[in-house]
Amino acid sequence: MHFSHDIRFRKETLQKLLHNILLHQADIVEALHKDFRKPAFETIMSESSIVISDLKHTIKNMESWARPKKVRASLLNFPSRDYIYSEPYGKVLVISPWNYPFQLSFLPLIAAVAAGNSVVLKPSELTPATSALVSKIIRETFDVKHVVAVLGDATIAADLLKKKWDYIFFTGSTAVGKIVAKAAAENLTPITLELGGKNPCIVDHTANLKLAARRIVWGKFMNAGQTCIAPDYLLVHTKIKGKLIALLQAEMEQAYGGNPEASPDFARIINSGHWKRLTALIEPYKILYGGQSVEAERYLSPTLIDEFNVESALMKGEIFGPILPILTYENEDDIRRTLGRYEKPLSLYLFTENKEFEKRILRHYSFGGGCINDTVVHFSNKRLPFGGVGQSGMGMYHGKYGFDTFSHKKSVLKKASWIDITIRYAPYGKKLKWIKRIMEWF
Ligand code: NAD
C-alpha cells in the first residue's frame, strides 16, 4: 500500500488518531501519573491538549500545506511556470525521550504522517506505562506497515539506527544526538535533532519582579524541572537579588505549600539514577530554599541555591531537575562572560521593561527560542518554529514547520513548447556579449 501520495488517506488516519487519543484521555493522565507522578493538570496542559490541538491544526491545514506552491518564474526561462512540490521522504525513524513522553512521541509522528511518510517510533524505556499506551494507540489507529512503535531501550534504538532510513527525527540529550548524527551520516540520512542545553533566565532591575517570580517558578518546577526548555539558572541584577529571592520563595510556597512532598501538583524524578545525580549536585552547597529529598519516593523538593562554585557539576551540564541556581550580574559584560561559558542554549528568557536592553540581548545571543517576560510558553504556539541551534539541536518543527521538516521540497520548472529562445545553445560564437548583457540585466 502507498501511504504517501493520497492526502485524503493521510487526513483520515490522523482523524482516526484524534478520535483514539480523545477516547484515551483518562488513560494518558493515569499512565503519566504512574510513570513519575505527573500531575493531571500538567499532563492535560503539556501532553494531551498540545497533541490534540496540533492534530486539529494539522488536519485543518494539511491539504493546503501539501499543495504544490507556484513561485514567480525567472524571465531567463521564459516561458515557464515554476513550482515547489512537497514530497514525503519515505521511511522515518522517530526516537523520543521520557520527559514529555506522550507529546514528544506524537508531535513528530503527526507531522511525519501528514507529510506522507511511514513511521517507526521508538519511545523512551524510562516511562513504561506511557510508552505502552502510545504503542496501544498507534496499534489501534494505523496499519502496521504505516506506523509502528518499537518498545525498548538504547540497544533497540542502536539496532534501529543501523538500518537505512529516509529521515531521522531525534529528541533527547546532546550526547545521544551525536550518536544519532554519526549513524545518520553513514547513509547521508537527513536528520532533525531536538536536544538540550543550559538555558539562562536573565532578570534585570526594571522587571516586574512579582510577575517574574511567579512565571519563573511555574516554568522551572513544572514536571519537577525535567523540561528541556525550563530555565536552567537565573542571572539576576545584583540590585534586585534579595527582593527576587524573597518573591521566588513566596511563589514556591504559594504553588506547592510548605511541604511540596504532599502537594498533588509536584511531580517526581524519573528514576533513582537521576535522583542520585540531582541530590549529588546540591550536596556541597548551602541551600537557600528547599533541598529536601526522599530516595524511596524519588522526591526532590523545589530548591534554590546561592553562593555556589561556577566550576562545579551544578553549573557544568544541563540540570534537568527542580534545582534553580542563582547567579548575579552588575553589567552586560558580566552577562556576556556567563553566557559565554556555555554552548548556544535551547531557550533564553529575559525579564525586563527596558526595550533597549531587550534589543541588545536578542541581537547578541543565539538560542533556539525563548520569551521576553515569561518562560516556556513559546513552545505552545504552533505558528512559531520550535528547535535548537548549535549543540541544542538542528532543524525545527510544530505546525507547518513540522510538515515541511518531513517533506523534501522538489523544485519543478514546467517549460512551454510554443517558443524556443535559442541564445543559450552552441555554437556560442558572437552570442557571448549578448548573454553577458542579459545576465547583468537580470
Ligand atoms: P536520552 O538522549 O538519554 O534518550 C532519548 C532517547 O534515545 C530514548 O528513547 C533512548 O532510549 C534513546 N537512546 C539512549 N541512548 C541511546 C544510544 N546510545 N543510541 C541510540 N538511542 C539511544 O535523553 P532522555 O534522558 O530521554 O531525555 C532528556 C534529554 O532530552 C535532555 O537533555 C533534554 O534537554 C532533552 N530534550 C530535548 C527536547 C527538545 O525538544 N529539544 C525535549 C525533551 C527533552
mmCIF file of all heavy atoms in Angstrom, residues 95-100 104 122-126 152-154 157-158 161 170-174 176-177 179-180 194-197 227-228 274 318 320 346 379 386 392 397, ligand 1:
data_model
loop_
_atom_site.group_PDB
_atom_site.id
_atom_site.type_symbol
_atom_site.label_atom_id
_atom_site.label_comp_id
_atom_site.label_asym_id
_atom_site.label_seq_id
_atom_site.Cartn_x
_atom_site.Cartn_y
_atom_site.Cartn_z
ATOM 1 N N ILE A 95 12.822 8.940 17.391
ATOM 2 C CA ILE A 95 13.252 8.453 18.724
ATOM 3 C C ILE A 95 12.903 9.539 19.724
ATOM 4 O O ILE A 95 13.256 10.713 19.538
ATOM 5 C CB ILE A 95 14.775 8.177 18.748
ATOM 6 C CG1 ILE A 95 15.146 7.119 17.697
ATOM 7 C CG2 ILE A 95 15.212 7.720 20.138
ATOM 8 C CD1 ILE A 95 16.645 6.783 17.642
ATOM 9 N N SER A 96 12.186 9.152 20.786
ATOM 10 C CA SER A 96 11.704 10.188 21.709
ATOM 11 C C SER A 96 12.207 9.957 23.140
ATOM 12 O O SER A 96 12.569 8.841 23.519
ATOM 13 C CB SER A 96 10.175 10.283 21.657
ATOM 14 O OG SER A 96 9.611 9.044 21.938
ATOM 15 N N PRO A 97 12.216 11.011 23.961
ATOM 16 C CA PRO A 97 12.732 10.921 25.334
ATOM 17 C C PRO A 97 11.604 10.671 26.346
ATOM 18 O O PRO A 97 10.438 10.558 25.963
ATOM 19 C CB PRO A 97 13.337 12.301 25.536
ATOM 20 C CG PRO A 97 12.413 13.204 24.788
ATOM 21 C CD PRO A 97 11.849 12.410 23.634
ATOM 22 N N TRP A 98 11.960 10.660 27.618
ATOM 23 C CA TRP A 98 10.987 10.303 28.650
ATOM 24 C C TRP A 98 10.269 11.504 29.252
ATOM 25 O O TRP A 98 9.258 11.362 29.911
ATOM 26 C CB TRP A 98 11.674 9.526 29.794
ATOM 27 C CG TRP A 98 12.820 10.278 30.402
ATOM 28 C CD1 TRP A 98 14.131 10.160 30.063
ATOM 29 C CD2 TRP A 98 12.763 11.284 31.420
ATOM 30 N NE1 TRP A 98 14.898 11.036 30.797
ATOM 31 C CE2 TRP A 98 14.080 11.744 31.650
ATOM 32 C CE3 TRP A 98 11.729 11.849 32.178
ATOM 33 C CZ2 TRP A 98 14.395 12.721 32.584
ATOM 34 C CZ3 TRP A 98 12.033 12.831 33.103
ATOM 35 C CH2 TRP A 98 13.349 13.258 33.299
ATOM 36 N N ASN A 99 10.808 12.713 29.098
ATOM 37 C CA ASN A 99 10.336 13.785 29.982
ATOM 38 C C ASN A 99 8.955 14.340 29.618
ATOM 39 O O ASN A 99 8.219 14.774 30.498
ATOM 40 C CB ASN A 99 11.391 14.886 30.122
ATOM 41 C CG ASN A 99 11.657 15.609 28.826
ATOM 42 O OD1 ASN A 99 11.599 15.021 27.755
ATOM 43 N ND2 ASN A 99 11.946 16.885 28.918
ATOM 44 N N TYR A 100 8.628 14.341 28.307
ATOM 45 C CA TYR A 100 7.237 14.588 27.885
ATOM 46 C C TYR A 100 6.909 13.435 26.937
ATOM 47 O O TYR A 100 6.837 13.616 25.722
ATOM 48 C CB TYR A 100 7.083 15.966 27.221
ATOM 49 C CG TYR A 100 7.173 17.092 28.233
ATOM 50 C CD1 TYR A 100 8.403 17.556 28.677
ATOM 51 C CD2 TYR A 100 6.026 17.648 28.788
ATOM 52 C CE1 TYR A 100 8.500 18.553 29.635
ATOM 53 C CE2 TYR A 100 6.109 18.652 29.746
ATOM 54 C CZ TYR A 100 7.351 19.096 30.165
ATOM 55 O OH TYR A 100 7.423 20.086 31.114
ATOM 56 N N LEU A 104 6.093 14.297 22.990
ATOM 57 C CA LEU A 104 7.306 14.275 22.151
ATOM 58 C C LEU A 104 7.374 13.026 21.269
ATOM 59 O O LEU A 104 8.226 12.919 20.395
ATOM 60 C CB LEU A 104 8.560 14.405 23.010
ATOM 61 C CG LEU A 104 8.686 15.762 23.727
ATOM 62 C CD1 LEU A 104 9.877 15.784 24.669
ATOM 63 C CD2 LEU A 104 8.774 16.918 22.740
ATOM 64 N N LYS A 122 10.383 4.997 18.318
ATOM 65 C CA LYS A 122 10.997 4.324 19.466
ATOM 66 C C LYS A 122 10.825 5.257 20.665
ATOM 67 O O LYS A 122 11.600 6.190 20.858
ATOM 68 C CB LYS A 122 12.486 4.080 19.175
ATOM 69 C CG LYS A 122 13.082 2.858 19.868
ATOM 70 C CD LYS A 122 13.042 2.889 21.366
ATOM 71 C CE LYS A 122 14.173 3.662 21.978
ATOM 72 N NZ LYS A 122 14.033 3.849 23.431
ATOM 73 N N PRO A 123 9.771 4.994 21.488
ATOM 74 C CA PRO A 123 9.586 5.847 22.678
ATOM 75 C C PRO A 123 10.582 5.470 23.769
ATOM 76 O O PRO A 123 11.292 4.484 23.651
ATOM 77 C CB PRO A 123 8.147 5.534 23.120
ATOM 78 C CG PRO A 123 7.634 4.463 22.230
ATOM 79 C CD PRO A 123 8.765 3.940 21.397
ATOM 80 N N SER A 124 10.586 6.238 24.860
ATOM 81 C CA SER A 124 11.572 6.007 25.921
ATOM 82 C C SER A 124 11.219 4.784 26.771
ATOM 83 O O SER A 124 10.058 4.519 27.060
ATOM 84 C CB SER A 124 11.660 7.233 26.816
ATOM 85 O OG SER A 124 12.520 6.953 27.899
ATOM 86 N N GLU A 125 12.268 4.098 27.209
ATOM 87 C CA GLU A 125 12.091 2.942 28.095
ATOM 88 C C GLU A 125 11.872 3.379 29.548
ATOM 89 O O GLU A 125 11.490 2.583 30.391
ATOM 90 C CB GLU A 125 13.326 2.026 27.992
ATOM 91 C CG GLU A 125 14.648 2.605 28.519
ATOM 92 C CD GLU A 125 15.363 3.557 27.540
ATOM 93 O OE1 GLU A 125 14.697 4.089 26.632
ATOM 94 O OE2 GLU A 125 16.576 3.774 27.731
ATOM 95 N N LEU A 126 12.124 4.674 29.841
ATOM 96 C CA LEU A 126 12.034 5.128 31.242
ATOM 97 C C LEU A 126 10.601 5.461 31.655
ATOM 98 O O LEU A 126 10.347 5.726 32.829
ATOM 99 C CB LEU A 126 12.948 6.346 31.466
ATOM 100 C CG LEU A 126 14.436 6.117 31.213
ATOM 101 C CD1 LEU A 126 15.254 7.319 31.673
ATOM 102 C CD2 LEU A 126 14.936 4.863 31.902
ATOM 103 N N GLY A 152 11.562 -0.408 23.710
ATOM 104 C CA GLY A 152 12.861 -0.954 24.115
ATOM 105 C C GLY A 152 13.808 0.143 24.527
ATOM 106 O O GLY A 152 13.460 1.326 24.473
ATOM 107 N N ASP A 153 15.005 -0.285 24.920
ATOM 108 C CA ASP A 153 15.974 0.685 25.449
ATOM 109 C C ASP A 153 16.967 1.141 24.384
ATOM 110 O O ASP A 153 16.728 0.992 23.173
ATOM 111 C CB ASP A 153 16.685 0.078 26.665
ATOM 112 C CG ASP A 153 17.421 -1.194 26.277
ATOM 113 O OD1 ASP A 153 17.536 -1.469 25.065
ATOM 114 O OD2 ASP A 153 17.880 -1.915 27.184
ATOM 115 N N ALA A 154 18.113 1.631 24.868
ATOM 116 C CA ALA A 154 19.121 2.181 23.949
ATOM 117 C C ALA A 154 19.635 1.136 22.963
ATOM 118 O O ALA A 154 19.977 1.476 21.826
ATOM 119 C CB ALA A 154 20.283 2.751 24.764
ATOM 120 N N ALA A 157 17.295 1.051 20.171
ATOM 121 C CA ALA A 157 17.472 2.275 19.369
ATOM 122 C C ALA A 157 18.727 2.151 18.516
ATOM 123 O O ALA A 157 18.732 2.530 17.330
ATOM 124 C CB ALA A 157 17.569 3.488 20.293
ATOM 125 N N ALA A 158 19.787 1.584 19.106
ATOM 126 C CA ALA A 158 21.047 1.433 18.354
ATOM 127 C C ALA A 158 20.834 0.490 17.169
ATOM 128 O O ALA A 158 21.347 0.746 16.073
ATOM 129 C CB ALA A 158 22.140 0.928 19.290
ATOM 130 N N LEU A 161 19.033 2.285 14.491
ATOM 131 C CA LEU A 161 19.895 3.262 13.809
ATOM 132 C C LEU A 161 20.818 2.618 12.771
ATOM 133 O O LEU A 161 21.340 3.297 11.894
ATOM 134 C CB LEU A 161 20.741 4.031 14.831
ATOM 135 C CG LEU A 161 20.003 5.120 15.614
ATOM 136 C CD1 LEU A 161 20.899 5.687 16.708
ATOM 137 C CD2 LEU A 161 19.536 6.251 14.696
ATOM 138 N N PHE A 170 15.197 12.946 16.064
ATOM 139 C CA PHE A 170 15.602 12.528 17.402
ATOM 140 C C PHE A 170 15.353 13.636 18.416
ATOM 141 O O PHE A 170 15.756 14.786 18.192
ATOM 142 C CB PHE A 170 17.096 12.169 17.411
ATOM 143 C CG PHE A 170 17.634 11.919 18.794
ATOM 144 C CD1 PHE A 170 17.408 10.698 19.429
ATOM 145 C CD2 PHE A 170 18.344 12.898 19.477
ATOM 146 C CE1 PHE A 170 17.883 10.471 20.722
ATOM 147 C CE2 PHE A 170 18.824 12.676 20.766
ATOM 148 C CZ PHE A 170 18.595 11.457 21.385
ATOM 149 N N THR A 171 14.726 13.300 19.529
ATOM 150 C CA THR A 171 14.635 14.225 20.667
ATOM 151 C C THR A 171 15.311 13.558 21.857
ATOM 152 O O THR A 171 14.967 12.425 22.216
ATOM 153 C CB THR A 171 13.173 14.544 21.024
ATOM 154 O OG1 THR A 171 12.488 14.939 19.852
ATOM 155 C CG2 THR A 171 13.086 15.647 22.062
ATOM 156 N N GLY A 172 16.249 14.255 22.480
ATOM 157 C CA GLY A 172 16.938 13.681 23.644
ATOM 158 C C GLY A 172 18.177 14.490 23.975
ATOM 159 O O GLY A 172 18.257 15.683 23.655
ATOM 160 N N SER A 173 19.134 13.820 24.581
ATOM 161 C CA SER A 173 20.319 14.539 25.060
ATOM 162 C C SER A 173 21.289 14.847 23.919
ATOM 163 O O SER A 173 21.291 14.169 22.883
ATOM 164 C CB SER A 173 21.025 13.689 26.113
ATOM 165 O OG SER A 173 21.399 12.457 25.528
ATOM 166 N N THR A 174 22.137 15.825 24.157
ATOM 167 C CA THR A 174 23.143 16.206 23.151
ATOM 168 C C THR A 174 24.101 15.036 22.907
ATOM 169 O O THR A 174 24.476 14.767 21.758
ATOM 170 C CB THR A 174 23.903 17.459 23.633
ATOM 171 O OG1 THR A 174 22.938 18.514 23.793
ATOM 172 C CG2 THR A 174 24.946 17.913 22.637
ATOM 173 N N VAL A 176 23.581 11.737 23.094
ATOM 174 C CA VAL A 176 22.985 10.709 22.217
ATOM 175 C C VAL A 176 22.711 11.308 20.828
ATOM 176 O O VAL A 176 22.822 10.612 19.820
ATOM 177 C CB VAL A 176 21.721 10.080 22.855
ATOM 178 C CG1 VAL A 176 21.092 9.062 21.920
ATOM 179 C CG2 VAL A 176 22.072 9.414 24.185
ATOM 180 N N GLY A 177 22.414 12.588 20.782
ATOM 181 C CA GLY A 177 22.220 13.265 19.488
ATOM 182 C C GLY A 177 23.435 13.085 18.582
ATOM 183 O O GLY A 177 23.303 12.886 17.377
ATOM 184 N N ILE A 179 25.498 10.546 18.664
ATOM 185 C CA ILE A 179 25.500 9.134 18.208
ATOM 186 C C ILE A 179 24.543 8.993 17.019
ATOM 187 O O ILE A 179 24.850 8.355 16.016
ATOM 188 C CB ILE A 179 25.073 8.198 19.375
ATOM 189 C CG1 ILE A 179 26.111 8.262 20.494
ATOM 190 C CG2 ILE A 179 24.844 6.774 18.885
ATOM 191 C CD1 ILE A 179 25.723 7.510 21.766
ATOM 192 N N VAL A 180 23.379 9.642 17.140
ATOM 193 C CA VAL A 180 22.369 9.571 16.073
ATOM 194 C C VAL A 180 22.922 10.214 14.798
ATOM 195 O O VAL A 180 22.795 9.665 13.697
ATOM 196 C CB VAL A 180 21.063 10.274 16.528
ATOM 197 C CG1 VAL A 180 20.075 10.411 15.380
ATOM 198 C CG2 VAL A 180 20.427 9.517 17.694
ATOM 199 N N GLU A 194 16.542 17.426 18.259
ATOM 200 C CA GLU A 194 15.942 18.306 19.276
ATOM 201 C C GLU A 194 16.628 17.965 20.586
ATOM 202 O O GLU A 194 16.309 16.965 21.229
ATOM 203 C CB GLU A 194 14.425 18.049 19.372
ATOM 204 C CG GLU A 194 13.650 18.368 18.094
ATOM 205 C CD GLU A 194 13.413 19.864 17.894
ATOM 206 O OE1 GLU A 194 13.564 20.619 18.871
ATOM 207 O OE2 GLU A 194 13.099 20.272 16.768
ATOM 208 N N LEU A 195 17.600 18.797 20.989
ATOM 209 C CA LEU A 195 18.457 18.434 22.127
ATOM 210 C C LEU A 195 18.244 19.379 23.306
ATOM 211 O O LEU A 195 17.231 20.068 23.373
ATOM 212 C CB LEU A 195 19.917 18.433 21.650
ATOM 213 C CG LEU A 195 20.166 17.665 20.340
ATOM 214 C CD1 LEU A 195 21.604 17.812 19.884
ATOM 215 C CD2 LEU A 195 19.801 16.198 20.479
ATOM 216 N N GLY A 196 19.196 19.392 24.213
ATOM 217 C CA GLY A 196 19.026 20.208 25.426
ATOM 218 C C GLY A 196 20.074 21.302 25.523
ATOM 219 O O GLY A 196 20.744 21.623 24.546
ATOM 220 N N GLY A 197 20.211 21.863 26.697
ATOM 221 C CA GLY A 197 21.212 22.919 26.889
ATOM 222 C C GLY A 197 21.045 23.554 28.251
ATOM 223 O O GLY A 197 20.210 23.112 29.044
ATOM 224 N N THR A 227 12.300 19.576 32.164
ATOM 225 C CA THR A 227 11.790 20.156 30.926
ATOM 226 C C THR A 227 12.972 20.714 30.159
ATOM 227 O O THR A 227 13.770 21.469 30.724
ATOM 228 C CB THR A 227 10.783 21.297 31.247
ATOM 229 O OG1 THR A 227 9.747 20.774 32.069
ATOM 230 C CG2 THR A 227 10.204 21.911 29.995
ATOM 231 N N CYS A 228 13.062 20.336 28.868
ATOM 232 C CA CYS A 228 14.242 20.769 28.098
ATOM 233 C C CYS A 228 14.327 22.281 27.989
ATOM 234 O O CYS A 228 15.419 22.826 27.889
ATOM 235 C CB CYS A 228 14.208 20.155 26.706
ATOM 236 S SG CYS A 228 12.679 20.503 25.831
ATOM 237 N N HIS A 274 18.690 9.360 38.160
ATOM 238 C CA HIS A 274 18.596 10.818 38.056
ATOM 239 C C HIS A 274 18.429 11.447 39.445
ATOM 240 O O HIS A 274 18.945 12.534 39.695
ATOM 241 C CB HIS A 274 17.441 11.216 37.130
ATOM 242 C CG HIS A 274 17.832 11.152 35.675
ATOM 243 N ND1 HIS A 274 18.650 12.079 35.093
ATOM 244 C CD2 HIS A 274 17.530 10.258 34.711
ATOM 245 C CE1 HIS A 274 18.838 11.766 33.816
ATOM 246 N NE2 HIS A 274 18.164 10.650 33.558
ATOM 247 N N GLU A 318 23.474 20.402 31.828
ATOM 248 C CA GLU A 318 22.060 20.745 31.995
ATOM 249 C C GLU A 318 21.565 20.130 33.310
ATOM 250 O O GLU A 318 21.839 18.962 33.575
ATOM 251 C CB GLU A 318 21.346 20.100 30.796
ATOM 252 C CG GLU A 318 19.900 20.297 30.668
ATOM 253 C CD GLU A 318 19.355 19.454 29.498
ATOM 254 O OE1 GLU A 318 19.991 18.451 29.086
ATOM 255 O OE2 GLU A 318 18.275 19.792 29.018
ATOM 256 N N PHE A 320 18.281 19.743 34.611
ATOM 257 C CA PHE A 320 17.159 18.845 34.323
ATOM 258 C C PHE A 320 16.511 18.277 35.585
ATOM 259 O O PHE A 320 16.310 17.066 35.736
ATOM 260 C CB PHE A 320 17.640 17.700 33.420
ATOM 261 C CG PHE A 320 16.649 17.371 32.351
ATOM 262 C CD1 PHE A 320 16.276 18.322 31.414
ATOM 263 C CD2 PHE A 320 16.061 16.119 32.284
ATOM 264 C CE1 PHE A 320 15.348 18.040 30.433
ATOM 265 C CE2 PHE A 320 15.124 15.822 31.303
ATOM 266 C CZ PHE A 320 14.781 16.795 30.370
ATOM 267 N N LEU A 346 19.036 25.963 24.248
ATOM 268 C CA LEU A 346 17.752 25.709 23.566
ATOM 269 C C LEU A 346 16.816 26.901 23.773
ATOM 270 O O LEU A 346 16.052 27.262 22.884
ATOM 271 C CB LEU A 346 17.141 24.419 24.135
ATOM 272 C CG LEU A 346 15.846 23.930 23.524
ATOM 273 C CD1 LEU A 346 16.000 23.695 22.025
ATOM 274 C CD2 LEU A 346 15.379 22.638 24.203
ATOM 275 N N PHE A 379 6.757 27.563 23.387
ATOM 276 C CA PHE A 379 6.562 26.200 22.888
ATOM 277 C C PHE A 379 5.136 25.968 22.397
ATOM 278 O O PHE A 379 4.891 25.176 21.494
ATOM 279 C CB PHE A 379 6.862 25.210 24.030
ATOM 280 C CG PHE A 379 6.824 23.776 23.609
ATOM 281 C CD1 PHE A 379 7.979 23.158 23.158
ATOM 282 C CD2 PHE A 379 5.651 23.050 23.642
ATOM 283 C CE1 PHE A 379 7.945 21.832 22.744
ATOM 284 C CE2 PHE A 379 5.612 21.726 23.231
ATOM 285 C CZ PHE A 379 6.771 21.121 22.788
ATOM 286 N N PHE A 386 9.840 25.414 16.433
ATOM 287 C CA PHE A 386 10.497 25.000 17.666
ATOM 288 C C PHE A 386 11.730 24.165 17.333
ATOM 289 O O PHE A 386 11.647 23.188 16.593
ATOM 290 C CB PHE A 386 9.545 24.185 18.545
ATOM 291 C CG PHE A 386 10.187 23.779 19.837
ATOM 292 C CD1 PHE A 386 10.277 24.670 20.889
ATOM 293 C CD2 PHE A 386 10.761 22.519 19.979
ATOM 294 C CE1 PHE A 386 10.926 24.325 22.064
ATOM 295 C CE2 PHE A 386 11.406 22.160 21.156
ATOM 296 C CZ PHE A 386 11.481 23.071 22.202
ATOM 297 N N SER A 392 22.366 22.667 20.930
ATOM 298 C CA SER A 392 20.998 22.386 21.410
ATOM 299 C C SER A 392 20.106 21.845 20.290
ATOM 300 O O SER A 392 18.918 21.590 20.513
ATOM 301 C CB SER A 392 20.373 23.622 22.075
ATOM 302 O OG SER A 392 20.303 24.710 21.190
ATOM 303 N N TYR A 397 10.332 22.071 14.183
ATOM 304 C CA TYR A 397 9.015 21.511 13.871
ATOM 305 C C TYR A 397 7.935 22.312 14.580
ATOM 306 O O TYR A 397 8.173 23.435 14.982
ATOM 307 C CB TYR A 397 8.945 20.012 14.133
ATOM 308 C CG TYR A 397 8.916 19.525 15.584
ATOM 309 C CD1 TYR A 397 7.995 18.554 15.968
ATOM 310 C CD2 TYR A 397 9.798 19.998 16.536
ATOM 311 C CE1 TYR A 397 7.963 18.045 17.267
ATOM 312 C CE2 TYR A 397 9.781 19.499 17.834
ATOM 313 C CZ TYR A 397 8.866 18.529 18.188
ATOM 314 O OH TYR A 397 8.847 18.040 19.461
HETATM 315 P P1 NAD B 1 18.416 10.377 26.042
HETATM 316 O O1 NAD B 1 19.247 11.005 24.986
HETATM 317 O O2 NAD B 1 19.085 9.614 27.108
HETATM 318 O O3 NAD B 1 17.358 9.343 25.373
HETATM 319 C C1 NAD B 1 16.486 9.735 24.339
HETATM 320 C C2 NAD B 1 16.127 8.509 23.521
HETATM 321 O O4 NAD B 1 17.313 7.996 22.932
HETATM 322 C C3 NAD B 1 15.493 7.371 24.308
HETATM 323 O O5 NAD B 1 14.448 6.825 23.536
HETATM 324 C C4 NAD B 1 16.634 6.390 24.481
HETATM 325 O O6 NAD B 1 16.208 5.046 24.541
HETATM 326 C C5 NAD B 1 17.446 6.613 23.237
HETATM 327 N N1 NAD B 1 18.866 6.330 23.430
HETATM 328 C C6 NAD B 1 19.578 6.410 24.587
HETATM 329 N N2 NAD B 1 20.871 6.045 24.361
HETATM 330 C C7 NAD B 1 20.962 5.756 23.048
HETATM 331 C C8 NAD B 1 22.026 5.326 22.203
HETATM 332 N N3 NAD B 1 23.247 5.125 22.688
HETATM 333 N N4 NAD B 1 21.769 5.119 20.899
HETATM 334 C C9 NAD B 1 20.538 5.336 20.399
HETATM 335 N N5 NAD B 1 19.485 5.737 21.154
HETATM 336 C C10 NAD B 1 19.691 5.937 22.455
HETATM 337 O O7 NAD B 1 17.506 11.540 26.615
HETATM 338 P P2 NAD B 1 16.444 11.473 27.786
HETATM 339 O O8 NAD B 1 17.144 11.301 29.077
HETATM 340 O O9 NAD B 1 15.340 10.538 27.453
HETATM 341 O O10 NAD B 1 15.824 12.960 27.707
HETATM 342 C C11 NAD B 1 16.393 14.039 28.331
HETATM 343 C C12 NAD B 1 17.185 14.882 27.353
HETATM 344 O O11 NAD B 1 16.384 15.224 26.241
HETATM 345 C C13 NAD B 1 17.602 16.213 27.954
HETATM 346 O O12 NAD B 1 18.920 16.513 27.526
HETATM 347 C C14 NAD B 1 16.622 17.211 27.351
HETATM 348 O O13 NAD B 1 17.090 18.527 27.274
HETATM 349 C C15 NAD B 1 16.395 16.629 26.004
HETATM 350 N N6 NAD B 1 15.105 17.031 25.481
HETATM 351 C C16 NAD B 1 15.063 17.874 24.422
HETATM 352 C C17 NAD B 1 13.836 18.302 23.939
HETATM 353 C C18 NAD B 1 13.716 19.242 22.776
HETATM 354 O O14 NAD B 1 12.603 19.351 22.264
HETATM 355 N N7 NAD B 1 14.776 19.884 22.337
HETATM 356 C C19 NAD B 1 12.664 17.836 24.543
HETATM 357 C C20 NAD B 1 12.761 16.970 25.615
HETATM 358 C C21 NAD B 1 13.978 16.566 26.071
#
